[in-house]
């Protein structure tokens, strides 16, 4: 007795393997994607939203590529059609924006990056075609994509948490893609479960390193004290970074912070001791060093 497939399973089977991806459809798909992306980029209402990111980052284009690859009959066909899709869509996005941008034709200066990515789509799509096999090799091929989507999703989710509901749709879109691929290509729960490992590991690494920063600052110390040439400066916890005096007479220092949080900053000048707190703060979404007297 044949098991009846769920509506969702029938939908994913159609989307990833049941479409006739002819050359005409690939070209129409490329032009349509370019038009939609251009609208999101040039219409002011989309500025700073999840929709605007379609023309800046890669998440939507991963989905488009997977749809094309999974609906080709051979690896070479997958490579050629995916390559042509990007070869048409990416320059068209810049071309369509020219009348609306103060940079005019200068916009094509940004195309170099996407052209390099377009060249990379040929070998990537050749290998990517094997996700159609829905086996362990398919899972291995999808793993880098899952990692990239997880990194992007966490990045968007961080923006959402800091300024709800900023980029919540982009976060859902990234995590949703991961869930969609694991469901669509792997009916075996063992493969789907294994596919979650890159998600968990990536999230754990990001969370473990969430306190890491790399910020440097040249600044006057509060109160503009004047030090002798013998003065020395140190951070209370060296793991936070390092500091040095750049202009003793004017109380100017250089500080490099490697971790978020608060540590002590002390200047020893003979019998005089100057104490400060050095803190990495998130101000309007930008990490900054703030030094205050203790």
């Amino acid at each position: 007795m044949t098991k009846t497939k769920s509506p969702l399973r029938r939908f994913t089977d159609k989307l990833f393997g049941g479409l006739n991806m002819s050359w005409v459809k690939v070209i129409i798909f490329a032009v349509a994607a370019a038009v939609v992306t251009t609208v999101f980029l040039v219409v002011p209402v989309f500025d700073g939203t999840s929709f605007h990111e379609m023309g800046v980052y890669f998440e939507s284009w991963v989905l488009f590529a997977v749809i094309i690859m999974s609906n080709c009959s051979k690896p070479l066909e997958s490579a050629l059609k995916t390559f042509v899709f990007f070869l048409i869509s990416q320059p068209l996005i810049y071309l369509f924006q020219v009348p609306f941008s103060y940079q005019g034709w200068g916009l094509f200066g940004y195309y170099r990056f996407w052209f390099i990515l377009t060249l990379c789509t040929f070998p990537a799509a050749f290998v990517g075609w094997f996700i159609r096999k829905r086996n362990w090799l398919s899972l291995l091929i999808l793993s880098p994509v899952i990692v990239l989507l997880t990194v992007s999703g966490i990045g968007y989710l961080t923006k959402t948490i800091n300024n709800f509901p900023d980029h919540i749709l982009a976060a859902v879109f990234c995590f949703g893609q991961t869930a969609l691929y694991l469901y669509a290509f792997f009916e075996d729960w063992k493969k789907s479960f294994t596919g979650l490992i890159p998600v968990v590991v990536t999230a754990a690494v990001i969370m473990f390193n969430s306190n890491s920063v790399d910020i440097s600052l040249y600044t006057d110390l509060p109160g503009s004290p004047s030090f002798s040439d013998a003065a020395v400066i140190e951070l209370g916890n060296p793991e936070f970074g390092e500091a040095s005096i750049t202009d003793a007479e004017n109380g100017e220092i250089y500080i490099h912070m490697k971790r978020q949080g608060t540590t002590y900053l002390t200047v020893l000048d003979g019998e005089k001791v100057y104490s400060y707190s050095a803190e990495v703060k998130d101000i309007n979404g930008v990490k900054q060093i703030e030094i205050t007297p203790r």
Side-chain angles (χ1 to χ4, degrees), residues 1-10 13 183 187:
M1 182 175 180
T2 303
K3 184 178 179 181
T4 303
K5 292 185 178 181
S6 67
L8 179 58
R9 178 64 66 184
R10 292 198 297 271
D13 286 350
Y183 175 83
E187 292 190 50

Side-chain angles (χ1 to χ4, degrees), residues 164-181:
F164 186 84
D166 183 27
H167 282 80
I168 188 171
L169 293 179
V172 171
F173 182 69
C174 289
F175 293 124
Q177 267 196 81
T178 297
L180 177 65
Y181 297 150

Side-chain angles (χ1 to χ4, degrees), residues 135-150 174-175 177-203:
N135 54 24
W136 289 103
L137 176 61
S138 306
L139 181 58
L140 181 63
I141 293 170
L142 271 174
S143 292
V145 174
I146 291 173
V147 170
L148 287 173
L149 289 172
T150 301
C174 289
F175 293 124
Q177 267 196 81
T178 297
L180 177 65
Y181 297 150
L182 292 178
Y183 175 83
F185 290 102
F186 310 108
E187 292 190 50
D188 180 359
W189 70 268
K190 294 179 182 178
K191 295 185 181 71
S192 297
F193 181 79
T194 303
L196 290 175
I197 294 178
V199 176
V200 175
V201 171
T202 303

Side-chain angles (χ1 to χ4, degrees), residues 218-236:
Y218 288 90
T219 184
D220 298 339
L221 285 172
S224 300
S226 179
F227 310 128
S228 71
D229 292 337
V232 294
I233 187 172
E234 60 183 21
L235 291 181

Side-chain angles (χ1 to χ4, degrees), residues 118-285:
T118 297
L119 294 177
C120 293
T121 62
F122 188 92
F126 188 96
V127 175
W129 178 84
F130 289 92
I131 59 176
R132 286 171 49 97
K133 299 297 183 181
R134 292 169 162 75
N135 54 24
W136 289 103
L137 176 61
S138 306
L139 181 58
L140 181 63
I141 293 170
L142 271 174
S143 292
V145 174
I146 291 173
V147 170
L148 287 173
L149 289 172
T150 301
V151 171
S152 294
I154 292 176
Y156 290 130
L157 184 60
T158 301
K159 291 183 179 181
T160 303
I161 294 173
N162 291 334
N163 186 27
F164 186 84
D166 183 27
H167 282 80
I168 188 171
L169 293 179
V172 171
F173 182 69
C174 289
F175 293 124
Q177 267 196 81
T178 297
L180 177 65
Y181 297 150
L182 292 178
Y183 175 83
F185 290 102
F186 310 108
E187 292 190 50
D188 180 359
W189 70 268
K190 294 179 182 178
K191 295 185 181 71
S192 297
F193 181 79
T194 303
L196 290 175
I197 294 178
V199 176
V200 175
V201 171
T202 303
V205 170
I206 292 175
M207 291 179 64
F208 181 78
N209 292 305
S210 61
N211 286 330
S212 298
V213 295
D214 186 8
I215 309 174
S216 298
L217 176 68
Y218 288 90
T219 184
D220 298 339
L221 285 172
S224 300
S226 179
F227 310 128
S228 71
D229 292 337
V232 294
I233 187 172
E234 60 183 21
L235 291 181
N237 185 347
E239 293 182 1
F240 273 79
E242 58 185 345
S244 60
I245 297 175
T246 56
D247 187 338
E249 183 177 353
N250 295 310
E252 294 180 354
I253 70 162
Y254 164 80
I255 182 170
H256 174 217
M257 297 284 280
K258 298 185 294 185
R259 287 178 54 181
Q260 291 193 83
T262 304
T263 187
Y264 303 133
L265 182 68
T266 304
V267 179
L268 304 174
D269 190 5
E271 295 182 355
K272 296 180 181 179
V273 179
Y274 302 86
S275 297
Y276 306 89
S277 292
E279 181 181 6
V280 175
K281 303 180 73 174
D282 194 321
I283 302 176
N284 296 325

Side-chain angles (χ1 to χ4, degrees), residues 45-60:
V45 70
F46 295 114
D47 286 351
T49 68
S50 299
F51 298 99
H52 185 270
E53 306 301 353
M54 180 178 177
V56 182
Y57 298 107
F58 63 87
E59 297 88 15
S60 299

